C-alpha cells in the first residue's frame, strides 16, 4: 500500500492509493497516520473495498508528510563509503547515530526554510525507514518484522552549525523544515529489496546526486537491529539512513543552497519531491 496525507498544515486528511492510483480518503477509518495508529493501520484496512471510499483530489493540493510527527527521528551518518570519502572522514566501523527533532518533518513540496544566520545549507537524499512495531534489544534476523515501510527523505543540513560550531551534528540538522518526506509512505511488502533502490537529487535542474541503496555500508535490517540495542524504537519513528555522494560540501568548490533554489529528488518506487528554498518569514 501507498499512504499519503493531503491538505493544509495541521488539517491533512489521511489517504491510501487504490489500484488505479486514486487517493482514497481513509479518515473515516483512522483519524490520521502516525505514532498512535500505524501499528494497526493495515489491519484496519484489511478487507476494505478502497474503490468505495471517497476520492481525494491531489492536483493543486498541498501534499503533507505521509505520516504525522513522529516521536523520534533517528539518523545514520556517513553510511555510504563514497560520501565518507567526499566528506574527508573515515568509513565508520559501526553506524554513526544522531537525531533530528520531529519539528523538522515537512511535506515533499513544502519550502525548505532558511534564516539569515545560515550560510552553508546542504542537501542529502536518503532512504527513510518507518517503524511499525516497537523494537528494543530485538533478536538478529527479526528486524524487518518491525519495519512498516519506507519513504523518500531529504536530510537538510546547515554545515556551519553542524561542523564549525562545536557540539553534536544535531545542531546543524534541527531547523524546522529540515526533513522533507514523501509523497508516499510505501509499505514493506511493496519494496521487496530496499537495498536496490535508485536515488537522485538535483538543484535548479542540475543533477547533484545519483546513487543506489545497494552501496549502503549498513543495510536496513542491520540499522534497525543495531539501533534497538541502544534505544526503544517506537511505532511511527523515522530512521533516515545516509546519503550517497554529491552533497554540496563535497563539490569543488563547495556549493550550497540559496533562497530561490529548487531541490528536486526521488527514490525509486517511493516518489519525488520538489522543494523551494526560501527565507522564513
Amino acid at each position: 500500500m501507498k499512504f499519503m496525507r493531503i491538505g493544509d498544515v495541521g488539517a491533512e486528511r489521511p489517504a491510501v492509493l487504490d489500484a488505479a492510483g486514486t487517493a482514497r480518503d481513509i479518515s473515516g477509518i483512522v483519524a490520521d497516520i502516525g505514532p498512535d495508529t500505524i501499528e494497526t493501520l493495515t489491519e484496519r484496512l484489511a478487507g476494505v473495498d478502497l474503490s468505495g471510499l471517497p476520492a481525494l483530489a491531489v492536483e493543486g493540493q498541498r501534499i503533507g508528510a505521509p505520516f504525522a510527527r513522529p516521536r523520534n527521528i533517528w539518523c545514520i551518518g556517513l553510511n555510504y563509503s563514497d560520501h565518507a570519502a567526499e566528506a574527508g572522514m573515515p568509513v565508520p566501523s559501526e553506524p554513526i547515530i544522531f537525531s533530528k527533532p520531529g519539528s523538522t518533518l515537512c511535506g515533499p513540496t513544502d519550502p525548505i526554510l532558511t534564516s539569515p544566520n545560515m550560510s552553508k545549507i546542504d542537501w542529502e537524499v536518503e532512504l527513510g525507514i518507518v517503524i511499525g512495531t516497537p523494537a528494543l534489544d530485538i533478536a538478529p534476523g527479526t528486524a524487518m518484522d518491525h519495519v512498516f515501510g519506507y519513504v523518500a527523505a531529504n536530510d537538510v543540513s546547515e554545515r556551519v552549525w553542524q561542523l564549525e560550531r562545536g557540539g553534536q551534528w544535531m545542531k546543524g540538522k534541527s531547523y524546522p523544515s529540515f526533513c522533507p518526506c514523501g509523497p508516499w509512505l510505501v509499505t514493506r511488502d511493496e519494496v521487496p529489496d530496499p537495498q536496490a533502490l535508485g536515488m537522485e537529487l538535483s538543484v535548479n535542474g542540475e543533477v547533484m546526486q545519483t546513487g543506489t541503496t545497494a552501496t549502503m555500508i549498513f543495510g536496513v535490517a542491520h540499522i534497525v537491529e543495531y539501533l534497538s540495542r541502544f534505544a526503544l524504537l517506537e511505532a511511527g519513528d523515522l530512521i533516515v539512513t545516509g546519503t550517497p555522494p554529491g552533497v554540496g560540501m563535497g563539490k569543488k568548490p563547495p556549493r550550497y543552497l540559496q533562497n530561490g533554489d529548487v531541490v528536486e529528488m526521488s527514490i525509486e518506487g517511493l516518489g519525488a519531491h520538489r522543494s523551494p528554498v526560501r527565507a522564513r518569514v
Side-chain angles (χ1 to χ4, degrees):
M1 289 182 170
K2 291 183 175 71
F3 294 96
M4 61 191 308
R5 295 164 72 244
I6 303 166
D8 295 337
V9 175
E12 297 92 343
R13 298 183 76 85
V16 63
L17 298 188
D18 66 17
T22 299
R24 298 289 178 174
D25 188 343
I26 59 172
S27 61
I29 299 171
V30 59
D32 203 353
I33 300 165
D36 296 328
T37 61
I38 202 164
E39 198 166 351
T40 61
L41 184 57
T42 54
E43 180 182 325
R44 293 190 194 189
L45 289 171
V48 173
D49 177 11
L50 300 183
S51 66
L53 298 176
L56 284 177
V58 176
E59 190 70 27
Q61 302 299 311
R62 174 183 175 268
I63 307 303
F67 48 91
R69 180 171 174 165
R71 295 185 178 95
N72 302 290
I73 299 177
W74 307 98
C75 308
I76 306 298
L78 301 178
N79 196 28
Y80 290 71
S81 57
D82 36 13
H83 172 54
E86 73 173 350
M89 299 180 184
V91 174
S93 57
E94 295 190 38
I96 294 172
I97 302 170
F98 61 99
S99 64
K100 299 169 81 85
S103 57
T104 59
L105 187 73
C106 66
T109 59
D110 289 341
I112 295 170
L113 300 176
T114 70
S115 84
N117 300 316
M118 298 177 186
S119 59
K120 296 181 180 180
I121 308 161
D122 211 343
W123 56 81
E124 296 187 8
V125 58
E126 306 204 7
L127 172 67
I129 306 165
V130 177
I131 296 298
T133 58
L136 179 65
D137 286 324
I138 60 176
T142 66
M144 300 306 289
D145 296 337
H146 297 269
V147 173
F148 180 86
Y150 304 97
V151 67
N154 185 356
D155 177 20
V156 182
S157 310
E158 211 300 332
R159 299 299 190 190
V160 172
W161 297 357
Q162 178 191 359
L163 301 172
E164 302 176 28
R165 294 289 300 273
Q168 301 296 316
W169 285 5
M170 187 177 179
K171 187 184 294 182
K173 303 279 189 171
S174 296
Y175 205 73
S177 79
F178 270 24
C179 193
C181 282
W184 309 315
L185 169 56
V186 182
T187 51
R188 187 181 74 230
D189 61 296
E190 291 203 13
V191 186
D193 186 357
Q195 307 305 152
L197 304 177
M199 50 209 312
E200 182 175 288
L201 182 144
S202 65
V203 178
N204 301 332
E206 181 182 352
V207 175
M208 299 295 179
Q209 291 183 278
T210 57
T212 169
T213 57
T215 61
M216 288 167 62
I217 299 167
F218 307 105
V220 168
H222 181 86
I223 288 169
V224 172
E225 187 270 327
Y226 183 86
L227 274 171
S228 82
R229 301 179 201 173
F230 304 99
L232 172 64
L233 304 181
E234 299 186 82
D237 279 6
L238 172 65
I239 307 169
V240 291
T241 60
T243 196
V247 299
M249 73 174 181
K251 302 294 184 184
K252 299 189 185 304
R255 176 172 172 176
Y256 297 107
L257 295 173
Q258 306 295 324
N259 291 333
D261 286 347
V262 176
V263 181
E264 296 178 278
M265 54 159 276
S266 62
I267 297 181
E268 184 179 354
L270 304 182
H273 295 199
R274 192 179 190 276
S275 305
V277 181
R278 78 172 192 217
R280 180 175 176 271
V281 178

